Amino acid sequence: MKPPLLEVRDLRVRFETERGPADVVNGMSFTIAAGETLALVGESGCGKTVTALAILRLLGAAGRIVGGEVRFDGRNVLDLAPRELRALRGRAIGMVFQDPVASLNPVLSCGDQIAEVVRAHAACSRLEARARALELLRRVRLPDPERQARAYPHQMSGGMCQRVGIALALAGAPRLLIADEPTTALDVTVQAQLCDLLRELQAETGMALLLVSHDLGLVAGLADRVAIAYAGHVVESAPVERLFAAPQHPYTRGLLRALPDIEAGARPFTAIPGSVPHPAEVPPYCRFQPRCTHRIAVCGREDPAPRAVQPEHWVACWVDVGATEPWTPPGGRA
Amino acid sequence: MTARPTSKPARARRRALRAALACAAVGVLVALLAPRLAPYDPSAVGDLVHGYGAPSHAHWLGTDEFGRDVLSRLLWGARVSLTIGGLTALLAGTLGGLVGLAAGLRPGPVDAILMRGVDLLSALPRTYLVVLVAGLLRPSLPTLVVVLATTGWLRTARLVRAQVHGVARGPYVEAARALGLSPWRIALRHVLPNAAAPLIVSVTAMVGNTILVESGLSFLGLGVQVPTPSWGAMVQEGRKVFPELWWVAITPSIAITCTVLACNLLGDALRDALDPRSASTEGVS
Amino acid sequence: MLRLILRRLVLAPVLVFGVATVVFFTARLLPGDPLEGLATPDTDPQYVPRMRHQLGLDRPLPEQYARWMQACLLHGDLGTSLIARRPVRDLLREALPNTLRLTTLALALRWTLALTLGIASALRRGRRAETGVRVLTLVVDAMPGFVLGVLLQLLFAYKLRWLPPEGMASVDAASMPALERCGDALAHLALPVLVLGVDGVAVLSRHVRASVLEALGRDHVRAARARGLDERAVVWRHGIRNGIAPIVTLLGLSLPGLVAGSLLIEAIFSWPGMGWLTIHAALTRDQPVLLATTLLAASLVVIGNLAADVAAATADPRTREPGGAHP
């Protein structure tokens, strides 16, 4: 089997909070193969954005990586020297951020910003960089690229800014693109357009995609595999159709049931009772146990390790939920 | 379980506030009790031939070239400066607060007129205006206070207006209005307390600022007039006898600096205490 | 952006007009006789009434106002000094360049220091750096400009005798060779410029530091880092440059402070500029001169604010449009 392009193993990221040190990312593990799209899904606070930032060591002063490995092409990113890290950023791994307008420098034109990144990754003249910038803008399907190149971020809509953000991420021809909630700040129609764009770009470049999101609809449209994160680690991972067809972990089931369904007519929302534990107060046993309707005695004593329910389908749960309660997709949708 | 904000920065802030308030209290006491505390009459001229001298047992801070006790003059000067500073700050604060409140609460033409007026008056350099008036008037203490107050309220007005403007459009005021509360009640119970914080900070800072301007004026001979002792005037007198009687110039300089410093620190501490958002925050993003 | 500058340019004369009005009425409405200090025991008793008539001070106030405004703003005639018996315009023409020499150098010094200190302390993050800078700036902040000026003058000019205590040039400067004359001028400039420039550095450097720190924490800085840009480029081109942009507005705003601050500095160092002229006029009750200098100082403030707006628009493209976001 081919070695994975990106392998995150038991990653731990610590923040200092008012209640003491908190491992917001607490044993996060997943892999992405070349060309594959993995969706990292979970509620706010489950550590998915922090994980994405940790992969490129962009956490700054707030968070510290205190354990685990992040292997890209076999090399541990956490051990890289600054110069090697810089070679990785933008060139091997690109990143697209959640707030499209805020991730662009407001006092520089879009064209200037893209040209700057182009020149950072390949020695070329200003003219060549400019040409390449226009080419990238065309690639992300921006109408009238010359005009957009001269424009400033505050003159463009959120969707257009995000396309520029994608263009910037592609400038170094990366093999992995990390998209951290790329459509959360945008309208639904723009979401669909960006979803299509990402799919097309992937087909063109063959790059892998790590999609961090809480939007299961977006995930269904883009992902090959899905990893569900809860309280700092992955509780279930499976190919996308399998996850929607036969979810095993009680949390996954709760998430899917909580999706409002337009076809199902009026029915009360089923929320998962309780709330996510504060990262500083994560228990040493199964973190979902207090909210779980399937819990048994061992759930309150030990943290379950992931086990394979089927090839490629892993669940971290003591209970064989699939056996006790067959899954009926809500509203009859598959 | 809720965590109480007893984090280190919060405790440090509270300590700073207590210290600053203590200093302020000392200052006010000195100002009030100067006549009692001063060992000598500040205007009493001593033995002109042998009466002046360096700090000694009899005169803790020495005497000037007229034999007047520096310490007594310093204490009386404190009384003068702090009185002027305090009264000016109160007057200017009231004026600025009212204008700011009016402008912030009644948007539209009232706001526009008031703020254009403030802009116009802001174009006048305060020092020049004060010198202009002081030069033409030779003011007494009350007139000085009026002059300083009428030139110093502009910044406060702007600050208060900005705060009131923001608060009046805030969600809880909207909610209050939706609940049917009368505009007066809203203004008094909801808008004013939240707009009070920058007003208080501004007034405190104004005390220090006024003392600065006043001592500058007295230094030039345009402020507090001769029989009344004033720090600025003392500095001017001290220049003439430097370096032989160096303490005559140095002591009031230190006094002015320390007082203004204390006012600034008090203003900072108040701001940190009243508006926790302005203090630096650490923690989980 | 052109629209913005045009709008401000049109507004500026209106502002000056308004300012002149306020100044005039402030002076005239004050109790007291403007010609009070004019008569000495041995002057001709007819002199004062004659002067009063000549200066138009016996006319009704609105008429005085109209005549003064017309003379000032249309003809540039700022009246005649009561004491020096010379046209005020001439006095100002001699004094203003000296003040400008002082204030422009002081402005340059202040900004260089503030930017250097501010950026350095922002880059060298850490509680100790922050506290250290804060303490130093607090103390220097509190010391009034004139106190600092007096103390430095006492120390360097009277005690140590390293620098000349006052004036713009030595008495025998005219007879010095060019190079020596230059050195002499610089020696005389040193203390006043230093005092005027340093006053306010503390606050300014704190603003710079805060703005730079805030800019360095913004999303697009992290995004630039993620795109593989050189750390230096990230910090300077994407961080500090954005942090400086809002500070540039303060540049123009510090002009009025300088104009006002130079008043006292000129008094301490007997620098023959506008401030010294004003104080002398205040002490001798020379109303025409006082009015003129105040008006001129206010005009400089208006110009300074205009310059600030232009600088802000240049630095941050968002403020160029009328509906643009304000930083």
Side-chain angles (χ1 to χ4, degrees):
Chain A
M1 209 166 78
K2 260 194 323 183
L5 183 64
L6 178 74
E7 184 180 355
V8 174
R9 202 187 302 169
D10 204 27
L11 185 64
R12 247 166 247 280
V13 179
R14 183 165 298 166
F15 283 75
E16 295 296 328
T17 69
E18 274 187 357
R19 298 191 208 177
D23 287 357
V24 174
V25 174
N26 198 338
M28 185 76 74
S29 303
F30 55 83
T31 61
I32 305 181
E36 177 182 46
T37 303
L38 173 73
L40 187 58
V41 176
E43 303 168 72
S44 335
C46 70
K48 49 192 201 300
T49 296
V50 175
T51 303
L53 291 172
I55 293 175
L56 281 177
R57 288 165 61 181
L58 288 172
L59 285 167
R64 260 180 350 169
I65 303 176
V66 294
E69 298 183 328
V70 175
R71 286 191 180 275
F72 184 80
D73 250 359
R75 295 191 66 195
N76 190 352
V77 173
L78 306 179
D79 288 337
L80 289 180
R83 205 147 51 108
E84 301 169 311
L85 183 62
R86 203 160 62 78
L88 194 75
R89 289 174 178 165
R91 219 180 298 175
I93 305 180
M95 190 155 178
V96 174
F97 295 88
Q98 184 169 349
D99 187 342
V101 185
S103 352
L104 296 175
N105 190 335
V107 301
L108 295 174
S109 72
C110 294
D112 282 341
Q113 295 189 48
I114 302 181
E116 185 188 12
V117 177
V118 167
R119 285 220 312 283
H121 291 304
C124 64
S125 71
R126 282 182 191 254
L127 229 59
E128 286 169 358
R130 258 316 191 133
R132 180 110 172 84
L134 283 173
E135 192 190 310
L136 281 163
L137 286 172
R138 243 173 254 126
R139 235 168 131 207
V140 294
R141 318 280 190 272
L142 268 176
D144 199 353
E146 285 85 7
R147 187 145 162 265
Q148 307 307 343
R150 280 195 307 272
Y152 288 87
H154 69 276
Q155 296 169 314
M156 304 165 78
S157 72
M160 291 160 84
C161 283
Q162 193 60 299
R163 286 176 197 265
V164 174
I166 296 174
L168 281 161
L170 292 177
R175 294 185 4 245
L176 166 67
L177 181 68
I178 303 178
D180 181 15
E181 308 261 17
T183 56
T184 303
L186 305 169
D187 292 335
V188 185
T189 42
V190 181
Q191 280 183 25
Q193 289 169 7
L194 278 170
C195 191
D196 290 338
L197 176 65
L198 283 172
R199 213 183 299 125
E200 283 163 26
L201 287 171
Q202 251 197 309
E204 280 171 23
T205 59
M207 64 184 178
L209 176 63
L210 171 61
L211 176 66
V212 174
S213 180
H214 63 266
D215 181 356
L216 285 169
L218 183 71
V219 163
L222 269 180
D224 298 323
R225 280 181 35 240
V226 181
I228 307 281
Y230 183 79
H233 67 171
V234 173
V235 296
E236 182 166 6
S237 75
V240 62
E241 307 88 7
R242 172 102 185 127
L243 190 93
F244 280 93
Q248 295 298 303
H249 198 280
Y251 177 61
T252 316
R253 293 191 165 203
L255 273 184
L256 290 174
R257 262 192 226 111
L259 280 180
D261 182 10
I262 219 170
E263 285 164 28
R267 71 177 159 95
F269 283 122
T270 27
I272 310 175
S275 55
V276 184
H278 190 280
E281 289 153 11
V282 164
Y285 44 86
C286 174
R287 293 160 211 186
F288 191 64
Q289 186 256 15
R291 309 165 76 183
C292 186
T293 47
H294 299 268
R295 58 175 178 255
I296 55 177
V298 64
C299 299
R301 286 201 306 267
E302 277 180 62
D303 199 13
R307 59 184 168 84
V309 174
Q310 280 200 359
E312 297 298 315
H313 187 165
W314 298 78
V315 185
C317 184
W318 292 117
V319 181
D320 189 3
V321 179
T324 54
E325 194 182 300
W327 172 248
T328 43
R333 263 159 83 237
Chain B
M1 182 176 79
T2 50
R4 276 202 65 221
T6 51
S7 51
K8 282 224 287 261
R11 270 185 279 131
R13 262 182 273 139
R14 275 204 287 268
R15 245 182 290 137
L17 181 61
R18 266 187 296 225
L21 282 172
C23 288
V26 167
V28 171
L29 273 172
V30 167
L32 287 173
L33 298 175
R36 296 292 199 94
L37 291 170
Y40 298 87
D41 177 354
S43 314
V45 167
D47 180 351
L48 286 176
V49 177
H50 299 291
Y52 59 86
S56 63
H57 188 74
H59 295 272
W60 287 4
L61 290 176
T63 69
D64 64 12
E65 79 268 28
F66 297 119
R68 296 180 291 192
D69 178 38
V70 171
L71 177 62
S72 308
R73 303 202 80 216
L74 213 60
L75 286 172
W76 276 86
R79 187 184 169 85
V80 169
S81 292
L82 286 170
T83 311
I84 296 178
L87 286 176
T88 306
L90 275 171
L91 208 57
T94 313
L95 187 54
L98 284 173
V99 172
L101 196 64
L105 284 177
R106 288 262 170 278
V110 174
D111 181 16
I113 293 176
L114 281 174
M115 282 303 121
R116 289 297 143 262
V118 169
D119 284 341
L120 177 66
L121 292 175
S122 303
L124 296 162
R126 188 183 182 198
T127 322
Y128 271 82
L129 257 190
V130 172
V131 167
L132 174 72
V133 176
L136 295 175
L137 267 187
R138 289 292 185 279
S140 58
L141 206 137
T143 1
L144 200 57
V145 170
V146 169
V147 171
L148 289 170
T150 47
T151 50
W153 60 272
L154 297 169
R155 194 143 168 259
T156 310
R158 276 222 186 88
L159 267 165
V160 171
R161 180 212 172 259
Q163 186 79 354
V164 169
H165 193 84
V167 167
R169 267 138 208 72
Y172 48 88
V173 172
E174 240 178 74
R177 227 177 269 147
L179 285 170
L181 297 178
S182 81
W184 271 117
R185 198 183 170 85
I186 296 179
L188 273 157
R189 287 209 61 208
H190 292 277
V191 177
L192 197 56
N194 287 292
L199 180 61
I200 294 176
V201 173
S202 180
V203 166
T204 317
M206 221 189 299
V207 175
N209 195 271
T210 308
I211 294 180
L212 262 167
V213 178
E214 177 270 320
S215 52
L217 271 182
S218 307
F219 175 81
L220 294 172
L222 293 169
V224 176
Q225 294 304 297
V226 160
T228 327
S230 133
W231 288 343
M234 286 171 76
V235 175
Q236 178 70 278
E237 291 160 16
R239 278 175 88 197
K240 300 181 203 143
V241 292
F242 193 85
E244 296 76 34
L245 303 181
W246 56 267
W247 53 90
V248 184
I250 300 293
T251 43
S253 304
I254 296 179
I256 300 173
T257 309
C258 286
T259 311
V260 175
L261 182 62
C263 286
N264 290 349
L265 283 173
L266 181 59
D268 278 351
L270 276 172
R271 190 187 52 222
D272 286 344
L274 291 173
D275 182 11
R277 278 173 290 146
S278 70
S280 56
T281 43
E282 316 165 332
V284 187
S285 46
Chain C
M1 176 158 126
L2 204 60
R3 217 183 321 165
L4 183 90
I5 302 181
L6 279 176
R7 203 155 44 129
R8 289 282 194 270
L9 271 177
V10 165
L11 216 62
V14 176
L15 213 56
V16 173
F17 190 89
V19 157
T21 308
V22 174
V23 169
F24 178 86
F25 280 103
T26 307
R28 285 285 194 269
L29 290 175
L30 284 175
D33 181 6
L35 294 182
E36 185 188 316
L38 207 54
T40 56
D42 51 313
T43 38
D44 178 7
Q46 284 302 307
Y47 179 62
V48 175
R50 211 175 350 123
M51 280 306 295
R52 196 183 301 274
H53 179 78
Q54 196 173 6
L55 292 171
L57 289 169
D58 46 355
R59 301 300 185 117
L61 200 59
E63 194 184 326
Q64 289 189 42
Y65 170 60
R67 291 172 86 201
W68 186 75
M69 289 297 261
Q70 193 181 31
C72 260
L73 298 176
L74 283 176
H75 303 300
D77 171 20
L78 294 160
T80 310
S81 161
L82 293 175
I83 307 301
R85 315 282 167 91
R86 291 172 60 199
V88 177
R89 191 165 46 180
D90 291 344
L91 292 171
L92 280 178
R93 198 182 299 144
E94 291 166 4
L96 188 59
N98 300 336
T99 300
L100 287 178
R101 190 191 299 190
L102 198 59
T103 47
T104 42
L105 283 174
L107 185 66
L109 179 65
R110 185 186 296 187
W111 272 86
T112 313
L113 280 176
L115 283 172
T116 315
L117 282 173
I119 294 178
S121 72
L123 292 178
R124 204 175 306 277
R125 234 169 306 177
R127 315 289 344 256
R128 239 180 301 142
E130 189 183 346
T131 345
V133 168
R134 246 186 121 199
V135 168
L136 184 68
T137 55
L138 267 173
V139 176
V140 177
D141 243 349
M143 193 176 291
F146 81 91
V147 170
L148 184 64
V150 169
L151 289 179
L152 285 181
Q153 186 188 45
L154 294 178
L155 179 63
F156 287 107
Y158 290 122
K159 180 87 180 166
L160 295 172
R161 296 182 192 266
W162 287 354
L163 290 167
E166 47 184 42
M168 250 174 50
S170 302
V171 180
D172 54 345
S175 58
M176 291 183 193
L179 202 63
E180 212 186 311
R181 207 175 336 144
C182 244
D184 180 60
L186 279 173
H188 280 90
L189 269 172
L191 276 179
V193 168
L194 182 67
V195 176
L196 198 54
V198 162
D199 187 29
V201 168
V203 178
L204 213 52
S205 71
R206 271 210 299 260
H207 278 301
V208 170
R209 179 177 188 274
S211 188
V212 168
L213 273 180
E214 195 264 339
L216 284 173
R218 289 205 208 137
D219 279 357
H220 65 82
V221 172
R222 188 175 60 186
R225 210 171 270 135
R227 289 159 190 153
L229 292 176
D230 180 34
E231 184 67 17
R232 226 165 172 201
V234 170
V235 167
W236 283 89
R237 192 161 142 86
H238 294 269
I240 293 181
R241 186 180 176 314
N242 285 66
I244 297 299
I247 295 295
V248 173
T249 31
L250 292 178
L251 211 160
L253 292 176
S254 55
L255 251 172
L258 277 171
V259 167
S262 71
L263 197 83
L264 283 167
I265 301 302
E266 288 181 18
I268 298 171
F269 292 96
S270 302
W271 190 269
M274 233 171 68
W276 191 90
L277 197 64
T278 310
I279 294 166
H280 188 70
L283 289 168
T284 54
R285 305 225 171 174
D286 197 346
Q287 201 182 100
V289 176
L290 275 176
L291 282 178
T293 54
T294 310
L295 179 59
L296 187 58
S299 309
L300 285 175
V301 170
V302 172
I303 295 175
N305 288 340
L306 177 64
D309 285 334
V310 173
T314 320
D316 188 343
R318 281 177 294 182
T319 55
R320 288 183 200 165
E321 269 115 81
H326 284 276

